Amino acid sequence: QVQLVESGGGSVQSGGSLRLSCEVSGYTVSNYCMGWFRQVPGKEREGVATSDRYGLFNYGDSVKGRFAISRDIPNNLLYLQMNSLKPEDTAMYYCAASRQYSCGGKVRGADFNYWGQGTQVTVSS
């Protein structure tokens, strides 16, 4: 059974940083496309960043240059380093895993089969 558990969310002031972690079980992080998504109530879920087994990364336009996705292969973890946070980054952040090797070259280029429960990020001005 695949389980994804996010952590690391919280409240931070504008310009601050947070690192989100996704603990993964029943699934090998190194083998497939994985990603981070976010959602604000009443709005569509937004792709933030993806990373695939070929070492390719994709970022949403609103986070390019500020966020970085990475994998800890030995510990089977996925991270999202978020720097220069803005109030508009406030959202519930979700870790997601696909059964596809490639993320298709974009943040919404794969079908994501597994999702975590989310971790809240709140950025105040």
Side-chain angles (χ1 to χ4, degrees), residues 4 6 20 22 33-40 44-51 58 60 63 67 69 78-80 82 89-98 103 106-121:
L4 308 175
E6 303 95 335
L20 305 184
C22 178
C33 168
M34 293 196 71
W36 288 95
F37 293 78
R38 66 187 183 187
Q39 191 167 22
V40 175
E44 189 175 330
R45 186 164 53 199
E46 177 188 5
V48 175
T50 58
S51 168
N58 305 289
V63 306
F67 290 12
I69 186 172
L78 184 72
Y79 295 115
L80 182 68
M82 307 187 294
D89 294 318
T90 294
M92 185 72 79
Y93 283 72
Y94 298 92
C95 173
S98 171
C103 296
K106 50 189 176 182
V107 290
R108 302 306 299 264
D111 295 323
F112 289 89
N113 309 91
Y114 310 103
W115 295 84
Q117 82 291 345
T119 186
Q120 178 68 37
V121 172

Side-chain angles (χ1 to χ4, degrees), residues 8-28:
S11 297
V12 65
Q13 288 194 324
S14 182
S17 298
L18 285 172
R19 188 177 77 160
L20 305 184
S21 299
C22 178
E23 185 175 341
V24 183
S25 58
Y27 176 98
T28 303

Side-chain angles (χ1 to χ4, degrees), residues 71-86:
R71 306 181 184 211
D72 180 345
I73 303 301
N75 293 302
N76 217 40
L77 294 164
L78 184 72
Y79 295 115
L80 182 68
Q81 178 67 43
M82 307 187 294
N83 299 325
S84 301
L85 283 161
K86 304 175 181 180

